[in-house]
Amino acid sequence: MDSRTVFDLLVYAVIVVGLILAAIRLYQDFTRPLPTEEDSQDHARY
């Protein structure tokens, strides 16, 4: 393998890892419990 191929594979690997981490973060955000009404009122006071 030449250096261009290695560099391309490295770029693809970084993109794939980033997409996986972004998917995990989105999944965590969408599956977390929503704040209650009391929580939102507490934040509005400050």
Side-chain angles (χ1 to χ4, degrees):
M1 283 200 287
D2 61 346
S3 59
R4 180 180 170 95
T5 305
V6 172
F7 181 75
D8 287 346
L9 290 175
L10 183 62
V11 169
Y12 295 142
V14 168
I15 291 171
V16 169
V17 169
L19 288 173
I20 290 170
L21 292 175
I24 291 170
R25 179 60 192 256
L26 281 172
Y27 177 77
Q28 289 174 345
D29 285 345
F30 284 124
T31 57
R32 69 179 172 85
L34 293 174
T36 62
E37 185 66 30
E38 294 172 357
D39 291 340
S40 60
Q41 288 176 356
D42 288 342
H43 291 296
R45 275 189 246 157
Y46 299 112

